[in-house]
Every structure is written in C-alpha cells, then in structure tokens.
C-alpha cells in the first residue's frame, strides 16, 4: 500500500502496515456522531473526560472538539501486563503510574478509551474510580472487541467493532511506532 503518509514513515515500520480497516473520513464521521450523542446526553451538565495515556489521546483530542457541553480533560497513565495464562485463566495486573490531577467526587465522568479487548484493564480502572464517588461514570471507546470480553463492562458509546487482529494507527502503536498513521490498519508481521 503506498500513500504519501507511509512514504514519510521509516522503511521498517512502513512495511508492517497492512490492510486498511478504517480510513480518515470514516473515523471522523464516527467521532462526530459520538460527539453529537454525548453532547445531547449531557446537555446542561459539565463533563470530565478521562483518557488513558497514550493511545487514546488521538481519539480524545478529536472527540473533545465534537462535544458542545462544557468539559474538563484529565489523564491517567497505567502499566498493564498479562499474568497467568495457565488453565485458560487470564488476569491483568494494572498499576497507576499517574493518577488524575483532580477530585472526581460528584462529577460526571466519561472515560475515553482507544480499544476494549478483554476489558480487564478498563474494569480495574472503573472499579477504582467508582470508589471515589463520581456522580456518574460512563465509557466511550473508539474500537471494541466485545466477543473477547472476560468481564461484564457496560460500554455506553462504542465506535466500531473490529476483528481480532493487531491494530495500528490513529494512536494505536506497535512498539511505540505508527501512532501517527492517520488511519487504522492491521499490522502485518509477515511469515
Ligand atoms: P484489555 O485489557 O481490554 O484486554 O486491553 C486493552 C488494551 O490493550 C488497550 O487499551 C490497548 O492499549 C491494548 N490493545 C488491545 N488491542 C490492541 C491492538 O489491536 N493494537 C494495539 N496497538 N493495542 C491494543
């Protein structure tokens, strides 16, 4: 696949960009639709958008500009790794590297996530945040793999359902690269 953007990427990573799943226009239209829904649902209220560094920052920046109610933005950073895949069990260890800068008690919180797969990472975060007594807490995710879910996690705003293939671009990285690809593609590691 050859576009101007890929020509700018270094050769090694450019060669890993496979099939395009979602182009810029399709992503923008969906983000705009989600922004309209969120604006209508939160009319007369003030939102706190909470994003998880780093991948979701691209979606957050675009979504925030499509929301018309007053809003604040905050970030958390976590480290998340899989543990114990024996006996088909999968758990996820999540550690906060950076907490929110502000108190969320009594606030309307909307978590803006890039993709939900098993849901284990986000479930840990949601459980933690509920203990701080927000007025409400909802989740908006650009991409979703609901068929991979291992926990029951309500997702109010969902962009696209995607296949179980590794995704890069529009914030999604492979080894911290390819986040700046303006569209969403599948990673192709080759034989
Ligand atoms: P979960 O805890 O829901 O299984 O994993 C969610 C996290 O895994 C996402 O926030 C993201 O960081 C990462 N992730 C899941 N699927 C992909 C993917 O296809 N590409 C990339 N770059 N990251 C992914």
């Amino acid at each position: 696949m050859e576009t101007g953007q890929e020509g700018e990427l270094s050769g090694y990573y450019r060669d890993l960009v496979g099939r395009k799943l979602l182009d810029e226009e399709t992503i923008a239209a969906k983000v705009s639709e989600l922004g309209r829904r969120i604006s209508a649902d939160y009319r007369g209220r003030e939102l706190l958008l909470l994003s998880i560094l780093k991948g979701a920052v691209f979606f957050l920046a675009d979504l925030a500009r499509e929301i018309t109610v007053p809003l604040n933005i905050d970030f958390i950073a976590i480290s998340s790794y899989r543990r114990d895949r024996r006996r088909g069990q999968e758990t996820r260890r999540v550690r906060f590297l950076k907490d929110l800068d502000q108190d969320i008690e009594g606030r309307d919180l909307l978590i803006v996530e890039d993709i939900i797969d098993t849901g284990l990472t986000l479930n840990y975060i949601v459980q933690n945040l509920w203990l701080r007594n927000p007025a409400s807490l909802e989740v908006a995710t650009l991409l979703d793999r609901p068929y991979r879910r291992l926990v029951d996690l309500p997702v109010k705003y969902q962009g696209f359902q995607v296949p179980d293939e590794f995704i890069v671009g529009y914030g999604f990285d492979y080894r911290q690269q390819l986040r700046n690809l303006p569209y969403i593609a599948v990673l192709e590691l080759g034989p």
Side-chain angles (χ1 to χ4, degrees), residues 22-31 142 160 170 182-184:
L22 299 161
D23 63 23
E24 292 94 316
E25 292 74 26
T26 309
I27 297 169
K30 182 61 78 176
V31 173
L142 179 66
F160 304 94
Y170 194 70
Y183 55 85
I184 289 173

Side-chain angles (χ1 to χ4, degrees), residues 137-151:
L137 195 170
E138 299 289 354
V139 174
T141 189
L142 179 66
L143 306 185
D144 201 356
R145 296 191 188 105
Y147 54 87
R148 290 258 309 151
R149 209 71 98 242
L150 293 177
V151 284

Side-chain angles (χ1 to χ4, degrees), residues 33-83:
E33 177 200 320
L34 290 174
R36 279 197 303 277
R37 274 183 57 202
I38 292 166
S39 303
D41 290 351
Y42 288 88
R43 205 157 73 203
R45 287 146 78 188
E46 190 176 315
L47 256 180
L48 175 58
L49 296 185
L50 171 60
S51 192
I52 302 156
L53 296 171
K54 305 171 187 169
V57 167
F58 291 71
F59 176 41
L60 171 81
D62 287 343
L63 182 65
R65 284 176 284 187
E66 299 290 338
I67 296 175
T68 52
V69 301
L71 62 82
N72 243 271
I73 288 173
D74 208 339
F75 298 96
I76 59 171
I78 53 155
S79 72
S80 164
Y81 48 96
R82 286 164 197 241
R83 286 191 55 138

Side-chain angles (χ1 to χ4, degrees), residues 82 92 113-122 145 165-167 172-173:
R82 286 164 197 241
R92 192 65 58 96
E113 181 56 308
D114 51 5
I115 186 166
I116 308 174
D117 189 77
T118 63
L120 290 170
T121 310
L122 195 54
R145 296 191 188 105
E165 295 174 276
F166 197 85
I167 281 159
F172 293 90
D173 75 305

Side-chain angles (χ1 to χ4, degrees), residues 73-143:
I73 288 173
D74 208 339
F75 298 96
I76 59 171
I78 53 155
S79 72
S80 164
Y81 48 96
R82 286 164 197 241
R83 286 191 55 138
D84 195 6
R85 301 194 74 173
R86 283 166 293 155
R87 291 182 236 106
Q89 283 196 332
E90 187 172 317
T91 57
R92 192 65 58 96
R93 274 291 162 93
V94 181
R95 200 159 61 87
F96 276 75
L97 302 176
K98 182 212 167 292
D99 207 337
L100 285 144
D101 292 333
Q102 43 202 304
D103 196 357
I104 59 170
E105 187 168 351
R107 313 272 300 271
D108 287 311
L109 198 60
L110 179 62
I111 301 180
V112 178
E113 181 56 308
D114 51 5
I115 186 166
I116 308 174
D117 189 77
T118 63
L120 290 170
T121 310
L122 195 54
N123 191 51
Y124 178 92
I125 294 165
V126 165
Q127 302 296 329
N128 180 294
L129 294 175
W130 268 125
L131 297 175
R132 307 181 195 189
N133 298 318
S136 68
L137 195 170
E138 299 289 354
V139 174
T141 189
L142 179 66
L143 306 185

